Amino acid sequence: MMLRLRALLGFFVTVVIALTLHAQVASGGKLRVYFIDVEGGQSTLFVTPAGKSLLIDTGWPGNNFRDADRISAAAKSAGLKRIDYVLITHYHDDHVGGVPQLVQRIPVGSFIVHGPNREQDQATERGYAAFEKALTDTKAKEIVAKPGDHLPIQGMDVTVISADGQVIQKPLSGAGEPNTFCKQSEIRTPDQTENARSLGVLIRFGKLQILDLGDLTSDKERDLMCPDNRLGKIDVLVVSHHGWHESSSPALVDAIHPRVAVMDNGAKKGGSIPVLDTVRQAPDIEALWQLHYSDEGGAQHNTQPEYIANLDGPDAGHDIELSANRDGSFAMRNGRTGLDKNYAAGK
Ligand SMILES: [Zn+2]
C-alpha cells in the first residue's frame, strides 16, 4: 500500500515538473510584458516563463468592457486562464475603474493595494467602493504592500518602492550615490490626491530591471531620489502618470538612466511636452515608446512614429510588447506594425 502510494506520488511529481518545463519552453524562458492600450489609463501585464502573472492596473470603468476585453485578449495570447495578482497602484478611475468588468472576464487570484482610499472625491470614492464590492464578490485575496516588501510572485523579483505616500528609506543594493539631478528639479507643492499614494514597484527578471511607479508625483520623486539616488540605474522605465507634467522630474528620470521608456499616454491624456522632452533627452536613453501619439506634443516633441503604437486617427487599441531574457537583453514590439526592436543586455 505504502509503496503504491509512493509510486503514485513520484508519478505526480514527474508530471508537475514536466508541465512546468513545458510552460517554460513554450515561452522560451522569457518574461513577457504587455503594455495594453487603455486610452490614457494604465494596464500592464507581466507573465513569467512559468506562466505566473501580474497585472498592474485595469484601465477605466464603462465603455462596454473595452478595457477588460483588451486585458483578457492579452492574457489569452499569453496562454493565461487566470491572472494570479492584480496590483492596483491607486484608486483613480483610469487605474482601478476596470476591476468590476475585468473579474467578469477572467478570474483573479489576489489584489495588491497600498491600503484604503484616503481621497475625498466623488469619482475616487465611487471607484474604491466598486473595487471593494468586486473584492467581496469574487472572494479574491487582498494584500496590503509597504515600501521594502517583496511581492510573493514566483519567477521575478518585485520590490515595493512606494506605497500610501511613503517611499523606501534605504537605497537598494548598489545604489545610494549623491543625485546631481536634484538641483535641476523644481520643488513642487505636495500632491494631496491618490496619485502621491501610488504603489510603485521595481521588477527584476535576471539582470533586467523595470520601474513602474504608477502616477507618483514629483514631490514624492524628490523624497525618493534626493539627496541620494536610492534606485541606482534601471533598464526600462514605465513613465509615471502617463507622461503628465506633474511627474517625471529630472531627479527621477535622468538619475536612473533608463535605456528604454514606455509612456502609457492617450492622445489627449498625459504626453505633456516637458515630459516628452525630459524622457527623450535623458542620459543613455535609446528609445521612448508611446502607446499614443500625443496631440499636445506635435511632430516636434513626440517620439518617431515607429515607436508609437497608435497614431492619430480612430481608436485601434494597439499594444506594445516586451520580451526579456535573463541576461538583460530584450525586444520591444510595436503592436501596430508588428516590428521588433532589439536591445542588447545592459553593462
Ligand atoms: Zn492615471
Side-chain angles (χ1 to χ4, degrees):
M1 187 64 188
M2 247 346 244
L3 271 177
R4 206 184 282 176
L5 207 62
R6 249 184 232 171
L8 208 63
L9 204 68
F11 172 73
F12 277 122
V13 168
T14 314
V15 168
V16 167
I17 291 171
L19 286 175
T20 311
L21 282 174
H22 177 76
Q24 295 195 3
V25 170
S27 70
K30 290 175 194 285
L31 173 74
R32 286 162 297 158
V33 187
Y34 300 78
F35 299 90
I36 299 158
D37 177 28
V38 290
E39 308 294 329
Q42 180 173 4
S43 192
T44 315
L45 177 65
F46 296 77
V47 184
T48 71
K52 298 286 174 200
S53 51
L54 166 70
L55 178 73
I56 300 188
D57 289 333
T58 61
W60 299 89
N63 303 307
N64 192 25
F65 287 86
R66 180 197 65 194
D67 296 351
D69 284 341
R70 288 182 184 178
I71 295 164
S72 35
K76 205 174 164 190
S77 91
L80 302 179
K81 290 199 169 55
R82 62 172 233 153
I83 300 176
D84 299 315
Y85 297 93
V86 173
L87 184 156
I88 300 297
T89 59
H90 63 298
Y91 300 115
H92 281 163
D93 255 7
D94 54 328
H95 298 259
V96 74
V99 169
Q101 294 182 21
L102 180 70
V103 295
Q104 293 178 59
R105 287 291 194 253
I106 188 164
V108 170
S110 305
F111 285 94
I112 306 169
V113 297
H114 69 57
N117 170 47
R118 300 183 203 281
E119 185 181 342
Q120 287 166 347
D121 162 84
Q122 259 191 9
T124 312
E125 284 170 340
R126 204 166 38 218
Y128 181 58
F131 165 70
E132 290 228 286
K133 183 172 184 306
L135 196 65
T136 316
D137 290 352
T138 59
K139 301 189 178 72
K141 271 189 244 156
E142 187 184 36
I143 299 169
V144 178
K146 294 186 305 296
D149 286 356
H150 292 265
L151 299 181
I153 301 159
Q154 291 162 15
M156 57 186 186
D157 181 68
V158 185
T159 308
V160 177
I161 302 297
S162 63
D164 200 22
Q166 306 298 312
V167 296
I168 50 164
Q169 290 303 307
K170 280 192 205 135
L172 299 174
S173 121
E177 295 285 307
N179 184 351
T180 53
F181 298 100
C182 291
K183 56 180 184 298
Q184 284 160 244
S185 301
E186 52 182 288
I187 294 172
R188 306 250 180 101
T189 1
D191 182 275
Q192 300 299 334
T193 74
E194 268 287 303
N195 290 330
R197 300 189 181 279
S198 286
L199 173 49
V201 290
L202 179 72
I203 294 172
R204 291 194 192 91
F205 177 73
K207 288 186 176 160
L208 190 81
Q209 303 198 66
I210 305 174
L211 182 68
D212 185 338
L213 299 179
D215 285 1
L216 199 73
T217 43
S218 303
D219 52 316
K220 295 296 174 191
E221 291 176 355
R222 207 178 175 84
D223 289 353
L224 175 65
M225 299 299 292
C226 298
D228 296 332
N229 174 357
R230 288 179 209 153
L231 297 182
K233 291 185 181 182
I234 60 106
D235 299 287
V236 179
L237 170 66
V238 182
V239 179
S240 300
H241 215 168
H242 328 286
W244 197 264
H245 59 74
E246 288 166 357
S247 305
S248 293
S249 55
L252 175 74
V253 177
D254 288 343
I256 58 176
H257 289 251
R259 299 171 52 214
V260 164
V262 185
M263 190 182 280
D264 44 22
N265 63 311
K268 294 185 194 305
K269 185 159 178 296
S272 304
I273 289 174
V275 177
L276 288 167
D277 289 351
T278 300
V279 176
R280 282 185 309 117
Q281 292 155 18
D284 298 335
I285 192 100
E286 292 174 47
L288 165 63
W289 289 71
Q290 294 171 215
L291 273 177
H292 275 264
Y293 179 84
S294 154
D295 287 358
E296 181 189 328
Q300 233 195 318
H301 304 277
N302 275 281
T303 190
Q304 298 102 297
E306 58 192 309
Y307 301 107
I308 302 178
N310 297 279
L311 298 173
D312 228 359
D315 170 22
H318 296 301
D319 69 353
I320 294 171
E321 292 173 27
L322 180 159
S323 60
N325 302 304
R326 288 184 189 279
D327 68 359
S329 63
F330 60 101
M332 301 283 296
R333 175 171 298 175
N334 186 331
R336 176 174 58 82
T337 62
L339 294 178
D340 284 351
K341 298 266 179 198
N342 294 304
Y343 298 91
K347 282 165 216 119

Short mmCIF file of all heavy atoms in Angstrom, two decimals, residues 171-177 209 225 229-234 252 255-257:
data_model
loop_
_atom_site.label_atom_id
_atom_site.label_comp_id
_atom_site.label_asym_id
_atom_site.label_seq_id
_atom_site.Cartn_x
_atom_site.Cartn_y
_atom_site.Cartn_z
N PRO A 171 18.71 52.97 0.38
CA PRO A 171 18.96 52.70 -1.03
C PRO A 171 18.93 51.19 -1.32
O PRO A 171 19.25 50.38 -0.46
CB PRO A 171 20.36 53.25 -1.28
CG PRO A 171 20.89 53.70 0.03
CD PRO A 171 19.84 53.59 1.07
N LEU A 172 18.54 50.84 -2.53
CA LEU A 172 18.61 49.44 -2.97
C LEU A 172 20.07 49.05 -3.04
O LEU A 172 20.95 49.92 -3.13
CB LEU A 172 17.97 49.29 -4.35
CG LEU A 172 16.49 49.67 -4.45
CD1 LEU A 172 16.03 49.61 -5.90
CD2 LEU A 172 15.65 48.74 -3.58
N SER A 173 20.35 47.76 -3.05
CA SER A 173 21.74 47.33 -3.03
C SER A 173 22.46 47.83 -4.28
O SER A 173 21.94 47.74 -5.40
CB SER A 173 21.78 45.80 -2.88
OG SER A 173 22.45 45.21 -3.94
N GLY A 174 23.62 48.45 -4.10
CA GLY A 174 24.39 49.01 -5.21
C GLY A 174 24.02 50.46 -5.52
O GLY A 174 24.70 51.12 -6.30
N ALA A 175 22.94 50.99 -4.91
CA ALA A 175 22.54 52.39 -5.16
C ALA A 175 22.93 53.27 -3.97
O ALA A 175 23.59 52.79 -3.05
CB ALA A 175 21.05 52.44 -5.41
N GLY A 176 22.54 54.56 -4.00
CA GLY A 176 22.81 55.44 -2.87
C GLY A 176 23.82 56.53 -3.15
O GLY A 176 24.25 57.24 -2.23
N GLU A 177 24.22 56.69 -4.42
CA GLU A 177 25.15 57.78 -4.80
C GLU A 177 24.42 59.13 -4.70
O GLU A 177 23.22 59.19 -4.91
CB GLU A 177 25.59 57.59 -6.26
CG GLU A 177 26.41 56.34 -6.52
CD GLU A 177 27.83 56.48 -6.00
OE1 GLU A 177 28.49 57.48 -6.36
OE2 GLU A 177 28.27 55.60 -5.23
N GLN A 209 15.93 45.29 -15.16
CA GLN A 209 15.17 46.00 -14.13
C GLN A 209 14.14 46.93 -14.78
O GLN A 209 14.49 47.76 -15.61
CB GLN A 209 16.11 46.83 -13.27
CG GLN A 209 17.21 46.01 -12.61
CD GLN A 209 17.83 46.76 -11.45
OE1 GLN A 209 17.17 47.01 -10.46
NE2 GLN A 209 19.09 47.14 -11.59
N MET A 225 14.41 60.29 -4.29
CA MET A 225 15.64 60.40 -5.08
C MET A 225 16.64 61.45 -4.59
O MET A 225 17.73 61.54 -5.13
CB MET A 225 15.28 60.72 -6.54
CG MET A 225 14.42 59.67 -7.23
SD MET A 225 15.22 58.04 -7.34
CE MET A 225 16.53 58.40 -8.51
N ASN A 229 20.42 59.02 -4.68
CA ASN A 229 19.64 58.19 -5.59
C ASN A 229 19.47 56.79 -5.00
O ASN A 229 20.39 55.99 -5.03
CB ASN A 229 20.38 58.15 -6.94
CG ASN A 229 19.74 57.19 -7.92
OD1 ASN A 229 18.77 56.50 -7.61
ND2 ASN A 229 20.30 57.16 -9.13
N ARG A 230 18.27 56.53 -4.46
CA ARG A 230 18.06 55.24 -3.78
C ARG A 230 17.78 54.10 -4.75
O ARG A 230 17.70 52.95 -4.34
CB ARG A 230 16.89 55.36 -2.79
CG ARG A 230 17.27 56.18 -1.58
CD ARG A 230 16.13 56.34 -0.59
NE ARG A 230 16.31 57.60 0.10
CZ ARG A 230 15.35 58.31 0.64
NH1 ARG A 230 14.12 57.89 0.58
NH2 ARG A 230 15.63 59.45 1.24
N LEU A 231 17.58 54.42 -6.03
CA LEU A 231 17.25 53.36 -7.00
C LEU A 231 18.43 52.91 -7.84
O LEU A 231 18.42 51.80 -8.37
CB LEU A 231 16.13 53.84 -7.95
CG LEU A 231 14.78 54.17 -7.32
CD1 LEU A 231 13.79 54.58 -8.40
CD2 LEU A 231 14.24 53.00 -6.52
N GLY A 232 19.42 53.76 -8.03
CA GLY A 232 20.51 53.42 -8.95
C GLY A 232 20.03 53.50 -10.39
O GLY A 232 19.11 54.26 -10.70
N LYS A 233 20.63 52.68 -11.26
CA LYS A 233 20.25 52.69 -12.67
C LYS A 233 19.27 51.56 -12.97
O LYS A 233 19.38 50.48 -12.40
CB LYS A 233 21.49 52.53 -13.56
CG LYS A 233 22.40 53.73 -13.53
CD LYS A 233 23.54 53.58 -14.51
CE LYS A 233 24.46 54.80 -14.43
NZ LYS A 233 25.56 54.73 -15.40
N ILE A 234 18.32 51.84 -13.84
CA ILE A 234 17.38 50.78 -14.26
C ILE A 234 17.41 50.68 -15.79
O ILE A 234 18.00 51.52 -16.46
CB ILE A 234 15.95 51.06 -13.74
CG1 ILE A 234 15.41 52.38 -14.26
CG2 ILE A 234 15.90 51.09 -12.22
CD1 ILE A 234 14.39 52.23 -15.30
N LEU A 252 14.27 62.13 -10.96
CA LEU A 252 13.98 60.71 -11.17
C LEU A 252 14.51 60.25 -12.53
O LEU A 252 15.37 59.37 -12.62
CB LEU A 252 12.47 60.44 -11.09
CG LEU A 252 12.11 58.98 -11.42
CD1 LEU A 252 12.49 58.04 -10.28
CD2 LEU A 252 10.61 58.82 -11.74
N ALA A 255 18.30 60.58 -13.34
CA ALA A 255 19.18 59.88 -12.40
C ALA A 255 19.17 58.37 -12.59
O ALA A 255 20.18 57.71 -12.33
CB ALA A 255 18.77 60.22 -10.96
N ILE A 256 18.05 57.80 -13.05
CA ILE A 256 18.00 56.34 -13.15
C ILE A 256 18.50 55.83 -14.51
O ILE A 256 18.56 54.62 -14.74
CB ILE A 256 16.59 55.79 -12.88
CG1 ILE A 256 15.56 56.39 -13.86
CG2 ILE A 256 16.17 56.04 -11.44
CD1 ILE A 256 14.16 55.83 -13.72
N HIS A 257 18.86 56.75 -15.42
CA HIS A 257 19.44 56.37 -16.73
C HIS A 257 18.67 55.27 -17.45
O HIS A 257 19.27 54.23 -17.80
CB HIS A 257 20.90 55.91 -16.54
CG HIS A 257 21.84 57.01 -16.20
ND1 HIS A 257 22.79 57.49 -17.07
CD2 HIS A 257 21.96 57.77 -15.07
CE1 HIS A 257 23.46 58.47 -16.49
NE2 HIS A 257 22.98 58.66 -15.29
#
